[in-house]
Amino acid sequence: RQYPSKTYRGGGMSVRKLIKLDPDDTARALAGVPLFSGCSDEEIREIATLAHLLRFDDGAVIVPEGEEGQGFYLLMSGDARVLRGGEEINRMRAGDFFGEIALLEGTPRTASVAADGPVVCLGILRADFRSLLVRQPRIALRIIEEEGRRYDQLPESPAIE
């Protein structure tokens, strides 16, 4: 089912919402994201109903550093640059995701993410996700558990003394 295309402008970015995705297709994409690995198939399908496909032109800022995080993004196609203080600190490609903490709390973004060529993302807004968490609070717990596992797998940094 297609929804009318709309262009949203705000916070220095321009986003074109293309379509509301088929929940089964979206669920398959989300099932491959480690963040949601602790969720059941039913929970993934429910999360998938919240997602939209977003297109960003070359150079568009997907999320700006310092702005309150409003959502989660999964790169479906294209490449993106991660910038802190205007300096590139990382690169992302299809399959990478960011903004997972924003699903649970609206902390400021620690870096900007900008499209390096045309980019298509699957996006979930925190406001939409929070209404799901009211009905299914265990989803938040599963996400927190997975984030904890990811954090535990990071290489240890030297102790500060």
Side-chain angles (χ1 to χ4, degrees), residues 150-161:
R150 288 178 61 197
Y151 182 79
D152 288 345
Q153 293 172 359
L154 292 175
E156 286 190 39
S157 54
I160 300 173
E161 300 183 336

Side-chain angles (χ1 to χ4, degrees), residues 72-85:
F72 166 83
Y73 298 84
L74 169 63
L75 269 69
M76 300 297 285
S77 68
D79 296 313
R81 300 171 56 220
V82 181
L83 307 159
R84 186 174 293 140

Side-chain angles (χ1 to χ4, degrees), residues 14-118:
S14 175
V15 176
R16 185 174 173 94
K17 186 188 296 186
L18 298 176
I19 58 170
K20 180 72 173 171
L21 298 173
D22 175 82
D24 291 333
D25 291 340
T26 307
R28 280 190 287 279
L30 290 174
V33 176
L35 180 67
F36 299 118
S37 68
C39 295
S40 70
D41 289 346
E42 182 179 324
E43 289 166 334
I44 296 260
R45 278 193 297 279
E46 191 159 0
I47 294 166
T49 65
L50 305 174
H52 293 277
L53 201 60
L54 306 166
R55 186 190 70 196
F56 298 90
D57 294 326
D58 183 26
V61 175
I62 300 169
V63 298
E65 181 177 359
E67 184 176 273
E68 180 181 330
Q70 295 296 321
F72 166 83
Y73 298 84
L74 169 63
L75 269 69
M76 300 297 285
S77 68
D79 296 313
R81 300 171 56 220
V82 181
L83 307 159
R84 186 174 293 140
E87 297 293 321
E88 185 173 309
I89 60 168
N90 202 358
R91 295 191 60 80
M92 303 180 101
R93 64 181 198 274
D96 291 337
F97 62 91
F98 59 95
E100 62 275 13
I101 300 303
L103 286 177
L104 302 178
E105 53 185 71
T107 55
R109 301 277 188 195
T110 58
S112 295
V113 178
D116 189 14

